[in-house]
Amino acid sequence: MSSATSLNLFRFSDPKIKTLHLTWFAFFLTFAVWFAHAPLLSSIQETLDLTDAQVRALLILNVAMTIPARIIVGMLVDKLGPRLIYSALLVISAFLCIGFAFANTYTSLAIFRFLLGFVGAGFVIGIRLVSEWFPAHQVGTAEGIYGGWGNFGSAAAAMTLPALALAFGGDDGWRYAIALVGILCGIYGLVFYKLARNTPKGSIYFKPKKSGAMLVSSWGALWALILMNIPMYLALGLLAWRLAPGGVNLLSESTMYVFWAILLVVFIYHTWQTWSINAEHLREGVPELEKFSFKQVAILNIAYFATFGSELAVVSMLPLYFLQTFEGLNPVTAGLLASGFAFMNLVSRPMGGWFSDRYGRRRTLIIMISGLAVGYFMMGLIDSNWWILVAVLVTMACSFFVQAGEGAVFAMIPLIKRSMTGQIAGMAGAYGNVGAVVYLTVLSFVSYSVFFYVIAASALIGLVAVFFMDNPKGHITEVMPDGTVHTIEVGHK
């Protein structure tokens, strides 16, 4: 590694390295909580006598709440700072996790699973925090380590929770295993609040001029922002449809229509708020120093739809996929094999960030999205006749490109507009969840092979979009309320 982009991760006396370790472990716990159910689905299904359709509905529910949560949390982070928001999220999620662990009906199980999508917003918080502590030539690598090591929480859950459930024993072993993760999450929320800081000593925490909506720099960007909000509402509407009588019958048809009506009202209000806040901002005239390219945000949203959206969907279904595809596997072994996909996060996401720092943001994204399209096509070819070892290796190779692509996306996001990094990360993150809802809905209608082919085909749209992305260069500026101008280097590659 170049000395310009390498980090000494064992130099704990360095406050920024200490902050990085504190932050990735917070994210690790959020992912362990978020996907604690995945390797234990067969036990949950047996205990509560669930149908396959109900299990698939849980998978969709698990990623739905994260769509609005990431937008809201992104705004809160920019306004209140990551230290407070991350601590609060960890503690609240602990109670939701324990509630899910001891749910006794499918309805209560589904409600807690839906609410636990809230924990997925934790990612956005750390993106802003890490960007405050690392310079442009290292931020991609640091964000990659944060995202990759944190994402490993789902793999850690897949590798350990089935064995932990067996160790607890009995029909309720899975409950105690999931509850234990929740307890650890709550304790760490208090630790994080005590030890973490929003910025290095003497640094300024830049806040957006107004809250309630993302501020853009032109009327064209305002229309684009409104259009980019639509898929998030459509994804939630799609979820309600899948939970209605036409799907798993968790919601009545009338409840589905009420939910759609509420979504429409919220969308109209959100659009009006976005328009009114930005119209006033644009009529006043946006100084050249405060402008940024919304095109970059839109392209990264699309790229994250294909990368993180597919990872969320695949991590949710992979243990069950291996269990049903290869005869003779038990849930523990299937969980271990499936963990290979998320296991790659340890190296692949940091590598995506490092490649971006070293060789250019746009070039890296093009390579990674091309690789994931090929990888998912290969996964679509897997069947029961394959050697399990080869299937796992193909899965891990695909996951390298998926997660390195995620690292490349978030190597770029902190370099667009520092004061709105939380909001930009929140929107991109929400698009990842939109992708997950879309892909998991597709899975509820088609075979596993077709599911993987659909992801491969949709990734090509992301690839086309990335060709229109600009590499960041020079500096971005932030203007303080007193008129003081601060410049932040974003690199030249």
Side-chain angles (χ1 to χ4, degrees):
M1 281 192 184
S2 160
S3 59
T5 54
S6 62
L7 298 174
N8 182 356
L9 296 174
F10 298 102
R11 192 181 173 191
F12 296 100
S13 60
D14 185 340
K16 70 175 180 289
I17 298 299
K18 173 188 167 185
T19 299
L20 179 59
H21 285 300
L22 276 173
T23 311
W24 77 254
F25 192 69
F27 183 38
F28 174 95
L29 285 176
T30 65
F31 247 61
V33 165
W34 198 7
F35 289 98
H37 69 298
L40 300 170
L41 277 176
S42 57
S43 299
I44 295 170
Q45 184 173 16
E46 185 179 343
T47 301
L48 296 177
D49 194 25
L50 307 181
T51 65
D52 287 343
Q54 286 175 319
V55 170
R56 289 190 176 193
L58 285 178
L59 299 183
I60 301 173
L61 279 168
N62 192 51
V63 297
M65 181 65 168
T66 319
I67 296 171
R70 286 188 164 182
I71 298 294
I72 294 165
V73 168
M75 291 181 181
L76 290 174
V77 169
D78 287 340
K79 187 175 179 63
L80 302 175
R83 176 186 176 223
L84 173 63
I85 301 301
Y86 225 149
S87 300
L89 180 135
L90 289 165
V91 172
I92 292 169
S93 300
F95 286 104
L96 295 176
C97 183
I98 294 167
F100 176 83
F102 294 105
N104 284 314
T105 66
Y106 180 66
T107 301
S108 58
L109 198 75
I111 289 170
F112 277 114
R113 203 69 250 159
F114 174 68
L115 293 176
L116 269 166
F118 174 78
V119 76
F123 172 67
V124 174
I125 308 171
I127 288 295
R128 176 72 199 256
L129 183 56
V130 171
S131 73
E132 293 292 332
W133 284 83
F134 288 86
H137 65 272
Q138 292 181 327
V139 74
T141 308
E143 297 284 18
I145 291 167
Y146 162 71
W149 292 10
N151 269 134
F152 185 69
S154 62
M159 290 189 292
T160 59
L161 292 189
L164 193 59
L166 284 176
F168 279 118
D171 294 338
D172 291 333
W174 66 269
R175 296 185 186 275
Y176 302 127
I178 291 176
L180 181 60
V181 178
I183 291 168
L184 291 173
C185 183
I187 293 171
Y188 191 74
L190 302 177
V191 172
F192 188 86
Y193 186 78
K194 181 174 177 60
L195 299 179
R197 295 293 178 268
N198 288 333
T199 61
K201 190 173 182 179
S203 295
I204 298 168
Y205 188 78
F206 298 108
K207 298 180 180 181
K209 285 186 174 180
K210 298 178 181 179
S211 57
M214 183 185 294
L215 290 178
V216 294
S217 305
S218 69
W219 291 100
L222 176 55
W223 283 110
L225 173 59
I226 291 171
L227 287 174
M228 292 300 291
N229 285 333
I230 293 174
M232 293 186 279
Y233 288 92
L234 291 178
L236 291 171
L238 184 62
L239 166 70
W241 175 66
R242 286 301 300 146
L243 299 178
V248 297
N249 205 19
L250 183 62
L251 302 178
S252 67
E253 190 169 349
S254 58
T255 304
M256 177 190 74
Y257 287 126
V258 169
F259 186 80
W260 282 356
I262 292 171
L263 273 182
L264 181 61
V265 170
V266 173
F267 171 71
I268 291 170
Y269 173 74
H270 185 195
T271 302
W272 172 81
Q273 189 178 41
T274 300
W275 180 270
S276 59
I277 289 174
N278 274 284
E280 181 185 354
H281 170 66
L282 292 170
R283 288 189 191 109
E284 291 171 356
V286 183
E288 198 64 34
L289 288 175
E290 296 183 25
K291 291 183 178 179
F292 73 98
S293 172
F294 185 78
K295 178 187 76 170
Q296 302 287 83
V297 179
I299 291 170
L300 293 170
N301 290 346
I302 296 167
Y304 211 59
F305 180 105
T307 54
F308 187 65
S310 66
E311 182 184 1
L312 266 187
V314 172
V315 166
S316 298
M317 54 72 73
L318 209 54
L320 205 58
Y321 166 72
F322 275 109
L323 196 62
Q324 294 178 356
T325 302
F326 297 100
E327 292 183 10
L329 293 182
N330 58 49
V332 174
T333 306
L336 285 171
L337 292 175
S339 69
F341 193 94
F343 185 87
M344 290 299 291
N345 268 301
L346 283 175
V347 294
S348 53
R349 194 156 182 161
M351 286 298 290
W354 181 79
F355 271 109
S356 292
D357 286 343
R358 188 84 173 89
Y359 300 110
R361 319 286 172 186
R362 180 173 171 272
R363 181 188 306 162
T364 300
L365 256 181
I366 289 171
I367 293 169
M368 299 311 169
I369 294 179
S370 300
L372 79 85
V374 174
Y376 280 123
F377 179 79
M378 293 299 296
M379 286 181 71
L381 299 176
I382 296 172
D383 60 29
S384 58
N385 296 317
W386 280 47
W387 289 347
I388 293 180
L389 176 60
V390 176
V392 171
L393 289 175
V394 167
T395 298
M396 293 177 74
C398 176
S399 71
F400 172 83
F401 288 100
V402 173
Q403 293 146 11
E406 295 162 13
V409 168
F410 276 89
M412 175 75 178
I413 279 175
L415 307 180
I416 297 174
K417 186 71 175 169
R418 177 60 59 84
S419 60
M420 294 196 298
T421 295
Q423 293 177 70
I424 296 169
M427 192 172 195
Y431 258 78
N433 284 82
V434 170
V437 170
V438 170
Y439 292 139
L440 286 171
T441 302
V442 169
L443 177 61
S444 65
F445 288 105
V446 302
S447 67
Y448 289 123
S449 291
V450 173
F451 166 71
F452 290 127
Y453 291 145
V454 167
I455 298 176
S458 66
L460 298 178
I461 299 172
L463 183 61
V464 171
V466 171
F467 273 100
F468 292 94
M469 192 177 88
D470 299 321
N471 269 321
K473 57 185 178 181
H475 296 80
I476 55 174
T477 57
E478 292 291 346
V479 182
M480 300 297 291
D482 64 1
T484 307
V485 177
H486 293 263
T487 59
I488 303 166
E489 184 185 354
V490 297
H492 58 276
K493 287 188 178 294

